């Protein structure tokens, strides 16, 4: 009888541990961002050089209302971090395992989204903190349903309205930044990921 009780207790304990693990918040999903980009009719790129060339055209306001995106792993994911987010070496050389990026813009608007999964959770946390540190005093930050966030709405370059949000979950960082008065794309993306939009800052 004692053996049966011990076995029953062990099974119950294992079930509780499994239940807690199963309820643990998952990292932001790269496929989710790719699906969002597909719904926006953004053009998908498989080759890094082609994506980077077109990305440069969009962020310099030389595109005609164009949206592009790319998902990458390993070397290409690292290049997307090094050459796109960290092109001015504002952040340390963190190791990236997965990346999904999109850019949408035209003559008067620009919105970019970055999703990076790092080899180490500490690196994701450090990037989140360092990226948030540059926000104005009127920015907002906190924790909400398994993720940390920092959002800001303010003036950007050339007096353009700017919306910025950075989000941390596990070893993954999600960033959205828009330099336009039209915030529909930002709000839609944040709703897709169920995170607080910078339009609420």
């Amino acid at each position: 009888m004692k053996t049966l009780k011990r076995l029953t207790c062990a099974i119950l304990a294992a079930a509780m541990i499994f239940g807690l693990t199963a309820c643990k918040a998952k990292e932001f999903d790269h496929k989710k961002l790719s699906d969002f980009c597909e719904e926006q009719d953004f053009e998908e790129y498989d080759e890094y050089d082609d994506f980077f060339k077109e990305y440069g055209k969009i962020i310099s306001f030389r595109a005609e209302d164009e949206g592009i995106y790319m998902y990458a792993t390993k070397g290409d994911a690292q290049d997307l971090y090094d050459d796109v987010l960290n092109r001015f070496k504002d952040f340390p050389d963190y190791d990236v395992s997965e990346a999904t990026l999109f850019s949408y813009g035209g003559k008067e608007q620009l919105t970019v989204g970055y999703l990076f999964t790092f080899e180490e959770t500490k690196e994701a946390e450090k990037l989140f903190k360092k990226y948030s540190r540059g926000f104005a005093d009127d920015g907002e930050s906190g924790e909400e349903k398994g993720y940390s966030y920092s959002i800001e709405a303010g003036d950007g370059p050339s007096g353009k309205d700017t919306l910025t949000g950075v989000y941390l979950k596990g070893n993954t960082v999600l960033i959205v930044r828009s330099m336009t008065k039209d915030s529909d794309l930002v709000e839609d993306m944040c709703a897709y990921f169920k995170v607080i939009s910078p339009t609420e800052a």
Side-chain angles (χ1 to χ4, degrees):
M1 192 70 173
K2 287 183 179 179
T3 303
L4 182 60
K5 284 183 178 178
R6 287 196 190 103
L7 182 60
T8 304
C9 288
I11 292 170
L12 288 172
M16 287 179 65
I17 291 169
F18 176 78
L20 290 171
T21 304
C23 292
K24 184 180 178 182
K26 294 180 180 178
E27 281 70 27
F28 292 126
D29 187 10
H30 287 268
K31 186 179 184 306
K32 198 178 185 82
L33 185 54
S34 293
D35 289 345
F36 174 77
C37 292
E38 283 291 319
E39 290 186 11
Q40 304 300 316
D41 292 325
F42 292 170
E43 183 177 356
E44 182 180 11
Y45 279 76
D46 296 319
E47 297 296 328
Y48 171 77
D49 290 340
D50 294 337
F51 174 85
F52 189 68
K53 181 179 179 181
E54 199 61 26
Y55 177 85
K57 177 181 173 183
I58 292 174
I59 65 169
S60 58
F61 299 97
R62 290 183 289 116
E64 295 288 344
D65 294 330
E66 178 184 2
I68 63 172
Y69 79 97
M70 180 176 179
Y71 165 75
T73 60
K74 300 179 180 178
D76 284 344
Q78 189 67 55
D79 288 341
L80 286 171
Y81 173 80
D82 294 339
D83 299 339
V84 177
L85 181 68
N86 203 26
R87 65 188 182 278
F88 298 121
K89 304 301 178 187
D90 294 325
F91 310 107
D93 296 326
Y94 296 138
D95 294 326
V96 175
S97 58
E98 281 186 277
T100 305
L101 276 70
F102 78 76
S103 178
Y104 175 80
K107 300 295 184 182
E108 299 293 331
Q109 60 181 321
L110 173 65
T111 301
V112 294
Y114 309 137
L115 185 61
F116 291 107
T117 297
F118 295 87
E119 295 284 356
E120 301 288 339
T121 301
K122 288 181 180 179
E123 293 185 340
E125 293 170 349
K126 288 177 182 177
L127 176 65
F128 172 78
K129 289 177 183 177
K130 192 168 180 61
Y131 199 99
S132 306
R133 204 171 292 148
F135 286 7
D137 293 338
D138 59 353
E140 297 179 21
S141 60
E143 294 185 4
E144 197 66 44
K145 295 181 181 177
Y147 70 90
S148 301
Y149 70 91
S150 187
I151 56 177
E152 178 189 45
D155 295 330
S158 304
K160 289 181 178 291
D161 291 341
T162 302
L163 300 167
T164 308
V166 56
Y167 311 88
L168 170 71
K169 185 185 283 191
N171 62 338
T172 303
V173 175
L174 173 67
I175 298 170
V176 62
R177 184 171 174 82
S178 182
M179 285 180 276
T180 173
K181 291 181 179 179
D182 181 4
S183 62
D184 288 348
L185 184 59
V186 173
E187 290 187 340
D188 289 346
M189 195 209 80
C190 290
Y192 208 79
F193 276 86
K194 298 180 180 178
V195 295
I196 295 174
S197 172
T199 57
E200 298 181 33

